[in-house]
Amino acid sequence: MAKLTRQLDYHAMREVFTRFHATDPEPLGELDHVNAYTLVVAVALSAQATDKGVNKATAELFKIAYTPQLMLELGEEGLIEHIKTIGLYRNKAKNVIKMAQILVDDYGGEVPNSRAALQSLPGVGRKTANVVLNMWWGQPAQAVDTHIFRLGNRSGIAPGRDVDAVERAIEDNVPADFQLHAHHWMILHGRYICVARKPKCQACQIRDLCLYEDKTE
């Protein structure tokens, strides 16, 4: 990135998230899941894949393999049959099976609720851990994906040279009462409005607050 957008001030930040809240008070993630375990698996599978693609692949999978033990019984080859439409499916299948074995052996088949423990699982990075902590346990963890990184830098909501810096900017600057849903609002806005190539600035509810200089007409 050639230059970083300056940071929105507190009053502008509060107005941004007030508008997001007014439009969608309880934003939800778009990955289908039935429990904490299937959420971890879905998020891990979503790396370099679309949520729609993952949901299509897991629609039948999560009917038969919704616990670590059931996933082990399905096995790697059986898992591959369900997820082979997803990018990097072979490596992901290996990680999901390894993860299931660790959860059974070390955690009694339960998904741990600490970031460190989650990140110790195969195929689970900080972003995946933060999604699970936020969506399942209601912790104000900020999972920064490409949509949030783009929106954060373009708009001035959370500028940063890498995802860690953007995560810190959200934690430091988004008003506390909006922290829980901050990353969902930003993901959805980045996915559907502040898109990569031609942002839909005319449809943007925060256009007057956004610091992006090259707004589309």
PDB file of all heavy atoms in Angstrom, residues 4 10 17 27 31 54 66 91 96 127 132 139 144 148 153 165 174 194 203 208 217:
ATOM      1  N   LEU A   4      -1.083   5.283   3.804  1.00  0.00           N
ATOM      2  CA  LEU A   4      -2.182   4.933   4.682  1.00  0.00           C
ATOM      3  C   LEU A   4      -3.141   6.105   4.801  1.00  0.00           C
ATOM      4  O   LEU A   4      -2.727   7.263   4.894  1.00  0.00           O
ATOM      5  CB  LEU A   4      -1.658   4.575   6.073  1.00  0.00           C
ATOM      6  CG  LEU A   4      -0.845   3.281   6.171  1.00  0.00           C
ATOM      7  CD1 LEU A   4      -0.338   3.107   7.585  1.00  0.00           C
ATOM      8  CD2 LEU A   4      -1.657   2.086   5.747  1.00  0.00           C
ATOM      9  N   TYR A  10     -12.929  10.340  16.739  1.00  0.00           N
ATOM     10  CA  TYR A  10     -13.871   9.581  17.563  1.00  0.00           C
ATOM     11  C   TYR A  10     -15.322   9.852  17.170  1.00  0.00           C
ATOM     12  O   TYR A  10     -16.126   8.916  17.086  1.00  0.00           O
ATOM     13  CB  TYR A  10     -13.666   9.924  19.047  1.00  0.00           C
ATOM     14  CG  TYR A  10     -14.671   9.251  19.943  1.00  0.00           C
ATOM     15  CD1 TYR A  10     -14.513   7.923  20.332  1.00  0.00           C
ATOM     16  CD2 TYR A  10     -15.810   9.936  20.371  1.00  0.00           C
ATOM     17  CE1 TYR A  10     -15.446   7.290  21.143  1.00  0.00           C
ATOM     18  CE2 TYR A  10     -16.754   9.300  21.181  1.00  0.00           C
ATOM     19  CZ  TYR A  10     -16.570   7.989  21.560  1.00  0.00           C
ATOM     20  OH  TYR A  10     -17.503   7.365  22.352  1.00  0.00           O
ATOM     21  N   PHE A  17     -20.519   3.716  13.094  1.00  0.00           N
ATOM     22  CA  PHE A  17     -21.064   2.489  13.667  1.00  0.00           C
ATOM     23  C   PHE A  17     -22.494   2.663  14.165  1.00  0.00           C
ATOM     24  O   PHE A  17     -23.253   1.691  14.212  1.00  0.00           O
ATOM     25  CB  PHE A  17     -20.121   1.955  14.746  1.00  0.00           C
ATOM     26  CG  PHE A  17     -18.891   1.325  14.146  1.00  0.00           C
ATOM     27  CD1 PHE A  17     -17.729   2.061  13.982  1.00  0.00           C
ATOM     28  CD2 PHE A  17     -18.921   0.021  13.691  1.00  0.00           C
ATOM     29  CE1 PHE A  17     -16.612   1.491  13.391  1.00  0.00           C
ATOM     30  CE2 PHE A  17     -17.811  -0.553  13.097  1.00  0.00           C
ATOM     31  CZ  PHE A  17     -16.649   0.181  12.946  1.00  0.00           C
ATOM     32  N   PRO A  27     -25.866  -8.107  13.229  1.00  0.00           N
ATOM     33  CA  PRO A  27     -25.306  -8.726  12.018  1.00  0.00           C
ATOM     34  C   PRO A  27     -24.827 -10.146  12.293  1.00  0.00           C
ATOM     35  O   PRO A  27     -24.311 -10.441  13.379  1.00  0.00           O
ATOM     36  CB  PRO A  27     -24.127  -7.809  11.669  1.00  0.00           C
ATOM     37  CG  PRO A  27     -23.712  -7.239  12.990  1.00  0.00           C
ATOM     38  CD  PRO A  27     -24.987  -7.053  13.759  1.00  0.00           C
ATOM     39  N   LEU A  31     -21.447 -17.966   7.291  1.00  0.00           N
ATOM     40  CA  LEU A  31     -21.076 -19.378   7.226  1.00  0.00           C
ATOM     41  C   LEU A  31     -22.064 -20.209   8.039  1.00  0.00           C
ATOM     42  O   LEU A  31     -22.291 -19.949   9.221  1.00  0.00           O
ATOM     43  CB  LEU A  31     -19.665 -19.580   7.785  1.00  0.00           C
ATOM     44  CG  LEU A  31     -18.506 -19.174   6.878  1.00  0.00           C
ATOM     45  CD1 LEU A  31     -17.187 -19.243   7.644  1.00  0.00           C
ATOM     46  CD2 LEU A  31     -18.440 -20.048   5.631  1.00  0.00           C
ATOM     47  N   VAL A  54     -18.376 -22.698   0.611  1.00  0.00           N
ATOM     48  CA  VAL A  54     -18.224 -23.526   1.809  1.00  0.00           C
ATOM     49  C   VAL A  54     -19.587 -24.045   2.267  1.00  0.00           C
ATOM     50  O   VAL A  54     -19.744 -25.228   2.593  1.00  0.00           O
ATOM     51  CB  VAL A  54     -17.527 -22.746   2.934  1.00  0.00           C
ATOM     52  CG1 VAL A  54     -17.541 -23.554   4.239  1.00  0.00           C
ATOM     53  CG2 VAL A  54     -16.097 -22.404   2.535  1.00  0.00           C
ATOM     54  N   TYR A  66     -20.879 -33.704  12.693  1.00  0.00           N
ATOM     55  CA  TYR A  66     -21.052 -32.448  13.423  1.00  0.00           C
ATOM     56  C   TYR A  66     -20.353 -32.466  14.781  1.00  0.00           C
ATOM     57  O   TYR A  66     -20.532 -31.561  15.588  1.00  0.00           O
ATOM     58  CB  TYR A  66     -22.543 -32.137  13.602  1.00  0.00           C
ATOM     59  CG  TYR A  66     -23.368 -33.291  14.091  1.00  0.00           C
ATOM     60  CD1 TYR A  66     -23.480 -33.566  15.457  1.00  0.00           C
ATOM     61  CD2 TYR A  66     -24.016 -34.127  13.195  1.00  0.00           C
ATOM     62  CE1 TYR A  66     -24.226 -34.639  15.912  1.00  0.00           C
ATOM     63  CE2 TYR A  66     -24.769 -35.205  13.636  1.00  0.00           C
ATOM     64  CZ  TYR A  66     -24.866 -35.462  14.993  1.00  0.00           C
ATOM     65  OH  TYR A  66     -25.590 -36.535  15.438  1.00  0.00           O
ATOM     66  N   ASN A  91      -5.362 -30.456   1.540  1.00  0.00           N
ATOM     67  CA  ASN A  91      -4.655 -29.976   2.722  1.00  0.00           C
ATOM     68  C   ASN A  91      -5.645 -29.640   3.844  1.00  0.00           C
ATOM     69  O   ASN A  91      -5.401 -29.929   5.028  1.00  0.00           O
ATOM     70  CB  ASN A  91      -3.808 -28.752   2.373  1.00  0.00           C
ATOM     71  CG  ASN A  91      -2.895 -28.354   3.509  1.00  0.00           C
ATOM     72  OD1 ASN A  91      -2.096 -29.154   3.990  1.00  0.00           O
ATOM     73  ND2 ASN A  91      -3.015 -27.111   3.957  1.00  0.00           N
ATOM     74  N   VAL A  96      -8.415 -30.794   9.045  1.00  0.00           N
ATOM     75  CA  VAL A  96      -9.678 -31.025   9.763  1.00  0.00           C
ATOM     76  C   VAL A  96      -9.633 -32.343  10.518  1.00  0.00           C
ATOM     77  O   VAL A  96     -10.081 -32.426  11.673  1.00  0.00           O
ATOM     78  CB  VAL A  96     -10.879 -30.983   8.791  1.00  0.00           C
ATOM     79  CG1 VAL A  96     -12.148 -31.503   9.475  1.00  0.00           C
ATOM     80  CG2 VAL A  96     -11.099 -29.562   8.289  1.00  0.00           C
ATOM     81  N   LYS A 127      -7.176 -15.382  12.646  1.00  0.00           N
ATOM     82  CA  LYS A 127      -8.458 -14.926  12.112  1.00  0.00           C
ATOM     83  C   LYS A 127      -9.565 -15.934  12.431  1.00  0.00           C
ATOM     84  O   LYS A 127     -10.643 -15.554  12.906  1.00  0.00           O
ATOM     85  CB  LYS A 127      -8.379 -14.700  10.604  1.00  0.00           C
ATOM     86  CG  LYS A 127      -9.649 -14.086  10.012  1.00  0.00           C
ATOM     87  CD  LYS A 127      -9.590 -14.014   8.502  1.00  0.00           C
ATOM     88  CE  LYS A 127      -9.940 -15.334   7.886  1.00  0.00           C
ATOM     89  NZ  LYS A 127     -10.136 -15.269   6.414  1.00  0.00           N
ATOM     90  N   VAL A 132     -14.404 -17.514  15.774  1.00  0.00           N
ATOM     91  CA  VAL A 132     -15.068 -18.448  16.685  1.00  0.00           C
ATOM     92  C   VAL A 132     -15.314 -17.799  18.044  1.00  0.00           C
ATOM     93  O   VAL A 132     -16.399 -17.917  18.623  1.00  0.00           O
ATOM     94  CB  VAL A 132     -14.233 -19.735  16.830  1.00  0.00           C
ATOM     95  CG1 VAL A 132     -14.860 -20.673  17.860  1.00  0.00           C
ATOM     96  CG2 VAL A 132     -14.116 -20.442  15.480  1.00  0.00           C
ATOM     97  N   GLN A 139     -17.274 -12.897  22.356  1.00  0.00           N
ATOM     98  CA  GLN A 139     -16.159 -12.046  22.746  1.00  0.00           C
ATOM     99  C   GLN A 139     -15.912 -10.997  21.661  1.00  0.00           C
ATOM    100  O   GLN A 139     -16.058 -11.291  20.472  1.00  0.00           O
ATOM    101  CB  GLN A 139     -14.901 -12.881  22.969  1.00  0.00           C
ATOM    102  CG  GLN A 139     -15.017 -13.889  24.097  1.00  0.00           C
ATOM    103  CD  GLN A 139     -13.727 -14.637  24.341  1.00  0.00           C
ATOM    104  OE1 GLN A 139     -12.640 -14.161  24.027  1.00  0.00           O
ATOM    105  NE2 GLN A 139     -13.834 -15.832  24.905  1.00  0.00           N
ATOM    106  N   VAL A 144      -9.828 -10.007  11.046  1.00  0.00           N
ATOM    107  CA  VAL A 144      -9.566  -9.142   9.891  1.00  0.00           C
ATOM    108  C   VAL A 144      -9.333  -9.979   8.639  1.00  0.00           C
ATOM    109  O   VAL A 144      -8.360 -10.726   8.551  1.00  0.00           O
ATOM    110  CB  VAL A 144      -8.356  -8.228  10.155  1.00  0.00           C
ATOM    111  CG1 VAL A 144      -8.060  -7.366   8.935  1.00  0.00           C
ATOM    112  CG2 VAL A 144      -8.611  -7.344  11.371  1.00  0.00           C
ATOM    113  N   ILE A 148     -12.247  -6.405   5.416  1.00  0.00           N
ATOM    114  CA  ILE A 148     -12.008  -5.471   6.516  1.00  0.00           C
ATOM    115  C   ILE A 148     -10.724  -4.702   6.287  1.00  0.00           C
ATOM    116  O   ILE A 148     -10.656  -3.488   6.535  1.00  0.00           O
ATOM    117  CB  ILE A 148     -11.963  -6.216   7.861  1.00  0.00           C
ATOM    118  CG1 ILE A 148     -13.364  -6.718   8.219  1.00  0.00           C
ATOM    119  CG2 ILE A 148     -11.432  -5.322   8.978  1.00  0.00           C
ATOM    120  CD1 ILE A 148     -13.437  -7.440   9.548  1.00  0.00           C
ATOM    121  N   ASN A 153      -8.644   0.570   5.615  1.00  0.00           N
ATOM    122  CA  ASN A 153      -7.665   1.501   5.065  1.00  0.00           C
ATOM    123  C   ASN A 153      -8.294   2.557   4.165  1.00  0.00           C
ATOM    124  O   ASN A 153      -7.925   3.724   4.228  1.00  0.00           O
ATOM    125  CB  ASN A 153      -6.580   0.730   4.309  1.00  0.00           C
ATOM    126  CG  ASN A 153      -5.521   0.180   5.240  1.00  0.00           C
ATOM    127  OD1 ASN A 153      -4.718   0.916   5.791  1.00  0.00           O
ATOM    128  ND2 ASN A 153      -5.535  -1.133   5.442  1.00  0.00           N
ATOM    129  N   ALA A 165      -2.110  -4.820  12.371  1.00  0.00           N
ATOM    130  CA  ALA A 165      -2.251  -3.391  12.654  1.00  0.00           C
ATOM    131  C   ALA A 165      -3.704  -2.948  12.517  1.00  0.00           C
ATOM    132  O   ALA A 165      -4.194  -2.126  13.302  1.00  0.00           O
ATOM    133  CB  ALA A 165      -1.358  -2.577  11.714  1.00  0.00           C
ATOM    134  N   VAL A 174     -12.601   1.782  17.652  1.00  0.00           N
ATOM    135  CA  VAL A 174     -14.050   1.603  17.567  1.00  0.00           C
ATOM    136  C   VAL A 174     -14.628   1.743  18.974  1.00  0.00           C
ATOM    137  O   VAL A 174     -14.140   1.110  19.906  1.00  0.00           O
ATOM    138  CB  VAL A 174     -14.405   0.228  16.973  1.00  0.00           C
ATOM    139  CG1 VAL A 174     -15.915  -0.018  17.045  1.00  0.00           C
ATOM    140  CG2 VAL A 174     -13.923   0.129  15.528  1.00  0.00           C
ATOM    141  N   CYS A 194     -18.249  -1.582  -0.273  1.00  0.00           N
ATOM    142  CA  CYS A 194     -16.889  -1.095  -0.514  1.00  0.00           C
ATOM    143  C   CYS A 194     -16.064  -2.198  -1.167  1.00  0.00           C
ATOM    144  O   CYS A 194     -15.056  -2.667  -0.637  1.00  0.00           O
ATOM    145  CB  CYS A 194     -16.252  -0.632   0.804  1.00  0.00           C
ATOM    146  SG  CYS A 194     -14.781   0.383   0.566  1.00  0.00           S
ATOM    147  N   ALA A 203     -24.113   4.143  -3.051  1.00  0.00           N
ATOM    148  CA  ALA A 203     -25.009   3.386  -2.172  1.00  0.00           C
ATOM    149  C   ALA A 203     -24.474   3.305  -0.740  1.00  0.00           C
ATOM    150  O   ALA A 203     -25.077   2.655   0.102  1.00  0.00           O
ATOM    151  CB  ALA A 203     -25.201   1.971  -2.718  1.00  0.00           C
ATOM    152  N   ASP A 208     -20.271  10.273   3.416  1.00  0.00           N
ATOM    153  CA  ASP A 208     -19.893  11.618   3.852  1.00  0.00           C
ATOM    154  C   ASP A 208     -18.844  11.606   4.953  1.00  0.00           C
ATOM    155  O   ASP A 208     -18.193  12.621   5.210  1.00  0.00           O
ATOM    156  CB  ASP A 208     -21.128  12.382   4.334  1.00  0.00           C
ATOM    157  CG  ASP A 208     -21.844  11.669   5.475  1.00  0.00           C
ATOM    158  OD1 ASP A 208     -22.048  10.443   5.358  1.00  0.00           O
ATOM    159  OD2 ASP A 208     -22.201  12.317   6.462  1.00  0.00           O
ATOM    160  N   GLU A 217     -18.549   7.809  -8.850  1.00  0.00           N
ATOM    161  CA  GLU A 217     -19.765   8.611  -9.042  1.00  0.00           C
ATOM    162  C   GLU A 217     -20.906   7.696  -9.480  1.00  0.00           C
ATOM    163  O   GLU A 217     -20.693   6.651 -10.062  1.00  0.00           O
ATOM    164  CB  GLU A 217     -19.507   9.664 -10.112  1.00  0.00           C
ATOM    165  CG  GLU A 217     -18.468  10.686  -9.700  1.00  0.00           C
ATOM    166  CD  GLU A 217     -18.855  11.442  -8.435  1.00  0.00           C
ATOM    167  OE1 GLU A 217     -20.067  11.696  -8.246  1.00  0.00           O
ATOM    168  OE2 GLU A 217     -17.980  11.757  -7.626  1.00  0.00           O
TER     169      GLU A 217
END
